[in-house]
Amino acid sequence: MTKIAVAKGDGIGPEIMKAVIEIFNAANVPLEYEYVDMGKWVFDKGYSNGMTPEAQETIESLGILFKGPMETPKGKGVKSVNVTARKTWNTYANKRVFQTLHGVDTVFSKAGIPIDLTIVRENIEDTYGGIEHMLTQDVALARRFITRPGSLQVIKYAFEMAKKKGTKRITCGHKANIMKITDGLFLEVFYEVAKDYPELQADDVIVDDLCMKLVTRPDIFDVVVLTNLQGDIVSDLCAGLVGGLGFAPSANIGDHISIFEAVHGTAPDITGKNIANPTALLLSGLAMLRHLGYMRSASMIENALQYTLEQGVRTGDFGDRSKPALNTTDFAQAIIKNFNQLPAHNPRPMLEDKPVTQTVFKLEKNPMLLSNEEEYEKIVGVDIFLECEEQPMALADKALKHTTDLFKLVTISNRGTQVWPKGSVFTNLVNQYRCRFESVAETGLTQIDILELYKRMAGDFKICSTELLNMVGDKRMYSLAQGQ
Ligand code: NAI
């Protein structure tokens, strides 16, 4: 028996959770449930992270959370409970499995093209830190973090999972041709990890090309690993390939705590009507059973689900519209009646249970993720982002006055495109520029040198932000401006 935390969620959450737990109970799944208070209704009671302290304590001690969808309260400054949960507990890998389900008609099922795809999406970093600022009243900036240790965690998980699953191919989706430093780092880590898995064919594809290939030949991919935002978009695209959100499960995997949930939201338009499709939450629950080693129960329930779908049994959101739709409760009962039936297509083998002993982790302090990069780092310049409505030449004249003998002004750019010393008069400008100053001497600069320059520039401009330009060995740790 394994005890897990269950949060019913908001909207259709309680309805679909009830249906799934009924299926689990009928199958004698060896789980015990501790219900926790989490979601919009908890937020409304004044808990700003959407969960009570008791809920947090229970989840942290049990290590597994099975959750229904939760509504993100509307309003500025309010963070999604779902994203908070994933980030607080460092569930760094979001695994979503997309498979052809017979009985769920799609373009590909009709064409006889089978889909069995797993998307692994990095779950913590990227723009999801939500660190955003208006630098001027016209210019918004989001920070995008891609880290070496964070990329390593998710990419290692993806390779290990691909190996266990017995897949042949693992692909990194990215945009490293444009984001050479951030996506470039993710891609570099991907190929570093690939060296430890020679049995897997590791390759990469630019994300736009990946999208085109997924909608034309989804069967050529096995496991695809991506950064957070690109993974978010690509995984919803894949949900569309297999029949929509009603069939998209999701597992958020961490070292200590893992969260299992459907991809879809609270479906406010159908809440309280008992007509929601519980399949995505059920598939997420099956992923949870397999994660816990309850292979037999998972296979038995999945075979019953597949058989039920093959019979044309459906809820209102999919299937043959000429056949009557069942409500959520009756759909769950139909699956229960079909326990021990085998589907005509891809029946799951009845593997032996291998229950995983849940280790309760008691952490004394926050884990610090560090890689072994210890090369000497040198400051070679600074980018100063400032507000200015003047033409590039006029701005350069003022900035050049501040260069002293330590700095030279090397480029000015606007929205990343160089406008000084060379540029085009056809480049549209906004009221925020970047002035790049580099060190005159080979020896490099100190932070105090940078502060002196900052003070001088601040006399003439509103400075929005600064970034140091660093070199590690002979590797430049910053990008060049377009046209530089
Ligand atoms: P949604 O996924 O709730 O609904 C989109 C459409 O799909 C609606 O027409 C809905 O009726 C339908 N739908 C979704 N799940 C269904 C199911 N199981 N059976 C039948 N039809 C289903 O997306 P929406 O409307 O953008 O978001 C509503 C709320 O859910 C928002 O507050 C959002 O923040 C939250 N949300 C929560 C998620 C989570 O808890 N992981 C994920 C996505 C959204």
Side-chain angles (χ1 to χ4, degrees):
M1 237 357 159
T2 304
K3 198 170 186 184
I4 63 161
V6 178
K8 294 179 187 170
D10 303 308
I12 58 168
E15 300 163 46
I16 53 175
M17 186 60 81
K18 181 167 173 276
V20 171
I21 300 283
E22 267 170 22
I23 295 170
F24 279 9
N25 285 343
N28 288 324
V29 165
L31 291 180
E32 231 183 290
Y33 311 106
E34 185 155 342
Y35 288 90
V36 293
D37 295 340
M38 219 178 149
K40 162 84 165 45
W41 62 278
V42 181
F43 181 88
D44 289 343
K45 283 185 170 176
Y47 296 97
S48 62
N49 62 354
M51 64 184 103
T52 59
E54 295 77 26
Q56 179 162 354
E57 203 176 300
T58 304
I59 295 161
E60 288 178 4
S61 71
L62 297 177
I64 298 283
L65 172 63
F66 188 33
K67 72 177 272 296
M70 291 173 190
E71 184 183 332
T72 301
K74 293 196 177 67
K76 287 197 170 167
V78 179
K79 303 258 177 189
S80 149
V81 183
N82 307 300
V83 177
T84 303
R86 289 171 210 156
K87 290 174 70 96
T88 307
W89 295 313
N90 205 58
T91 60
Y92 51 78
N94 180 225
K95 176 186 168 200
R96 299 186 186 179
V97 179
F98 302 97
Q99 282 172 325
T100 303
L101 291 164
H102 294 273
V104 183
D105 280 347
T106 64
V107 178
F108 298 102
S109 67
K110 284 181 186 157
I113 299 175
I115 299 177
D116 184 0
L117 249 177
T118 304
I119 303 287
V120 179
R121 160 191 170 197
E122 196 286 317
N123 222 10
I124 310 285
E125 307 191 335
D126 204 334
T127 46
Y128 284 66
I131 304 175
E132 300 191 313
H133 297 91
M134 292 296 295
L135 295 188
T136 75
Q137 293 191 25
D138 280 353
V139 179
L141 174 84
R143 295 222 154 202
R144 178 169 195 250
F145 285 97
I146 303 292
T147 71
R148 185 179 291 280
S151 303
L152 197 59
Q153 278 186 321
V154 65
I155 290 170
K156 263 191 183 164
Y157 168 80
F159 271 91
E160 207 43 44
M161 188 270 302
K163 185 176 156 183
K164 274 197 202 133
K165 199 173 170 228
T167 49
K168 292 192 180 67
R169 182 179 182 195
I170 177 163
T171 305
C172 178
H174 63 87
K175 194 74 185 170
N177 52 331
I178 303 296
M179 292 175 279
K180 293 186 172 30
I181 295 200
T182 47
D183 273 28
L185 175 59
F186 193 76
L187 188 58
E188 185 183 307
V189 173
F190 176 83
Y191 280 117
E192 273 168 23
V193 175
K195 286 187 203 140
D196 297 334
Y197 297 84
E199 66 277 36
L200 290 171
Q201 179 203 329
D203 54 21
D204 69 279
V205 57
I206 292 174
V207 68
D208 34 343
D209 188 25
L210 172 67
C211 289
M212 194 271 292
K213 290 194 167 109
L214 280 170
V215 295
T216 49
R217 289 295 309 277
D219 55 319
I220 62 175
F221 294 101
D222 284 339
V223 173
V224 185
V225 57
L226 299 117
T227 52
N228 203 343
L229 178 60
Q230 292 167 29
D232 193 6
I233 298 166
V234 168
S235 49
D236 269 25
L237 180 152
C238 293
L241 301 178
V242 295
L245 284 177
F247 302 94
S250 156
N252 300 286
I253 308 290
D255 287 339
H256 308 116
I257 295 167
S258 296
I259 305 172
F260 297 83
E261 62 180 338
V263 169
H264 63 71
T266 58
D269 50 334
I270 56 167
T271 293
K273 296 182 180 162
N274 194 30
I275 58 171
N277 180 358
T279 308
L281 187 64
L282 179 59
L283 290 171
S284 313
L286 298 182
M288 176 176 72
L289 290 180
R290 293 196 170 103
H291 180 83
L292 293 170
Y294 296 123
M295 306 309 206
R296 221 181 152 72
S297 311
S299 293
M300 197 271 280
I301 299 172
E302 188 163 350
N303 283 338
L305 166 70
Q306 295 266 18
Y307 179 87
T308 308
L309 294 172
E310 280 177 4
Q311 304 305 304
V313 177
R314 66 184 198 97
T315 47
D317 54 310
F318 75 99
D320 181 351
R321 307 268 153 187
S322 66
K323 289 190 179 167
L326 298 191
N327 67 25
T328 311
T329 316
D330 291 344
F331 185 76
Q333 288 306 318
I335 296 170
I336 292 169
K337 278 200 202 92
N338 290 330
F339 279 174
N340 300 318
Q341 297 281 8
L342 283 185
H345 301 90
N346 309 326
R348 292 276 171 179
M350 300 299 280
L351 301 175
E352 280 312 304
D353 280 351
K354 284 192 197 136
V356 176
T357 318
Q358 281 291 101
T359 316
V360 179
F361 291 91
K362 288 262 179 264
L363 295 183
E364 298 287 319
K365 51 184 183 178
N366 294 66
M368 170 66 77
L369 308 176
L370 286 176
S371 57
N372 298 325
E373 308 290 308
E374 276 179 7
E375 273 190 77
Y376 173 67
E377 196 173 286
K378 178 167 86 169
I379 303 174
V380 296
V382 62
D383 277 346
I384 296 188
F385 295 80
L386 48 85
E387 184 166 347
C388 175
E389 289 177 18
E390 295 182 67
Q391 287 292 306
M393 191 57 89
L395 165 58
D397 285 345
K398 280 190 189 166
L400 281 167
K401 283 196 308 207
H402 301 304
T403 48
T404 70
D405 50 357
L406 284 183
F407 293 95
K408 55 185 180 216
L409 177 67
V410 291
T411 177
I412 298 178
S413 64
N414 195 292
R415 290 192 286 176
T417 304
Q418 179 171 282
V419 290
W420 183 93
K422 285 200 188 113
S424 162
V425 75
F426 289 97
T427 303
N428 285 188
L429 304 173
V430 296
N431 64 357
Q432 203 238 11
Y433 285 92
R434 173 183 59 172
C435 294
R436 172 163 291 177
F437 295 93
E438 283 180 4
S439 168
V440 171
E442 288 285 307
T443 43
L445 298 158
T446 66
Q447 290 197 79
I448 303 298
D449 298 333
I450 305 287
L451 275 177
E452 288 300 327
L453 177 66
Y454 187 107
K455 271 187 358 204
R456 293 167 66 98
M457 289 288 283
D460 273 340
F461 303 101
K462 177 189 128 191
I463 296 180
C464 306
S465 66
T466 58
E467 291 293 344
L468 297 179
L469 305 179
N470 294 312
M471 295 282 288
V472 170
D474 45 14
K475 192 173 171 197
R476 205 188 314 113
M477 309 293 276
Y478 52 92
S479 62
L480 296 178
Q482 203 81 43
Q484 190 185 350

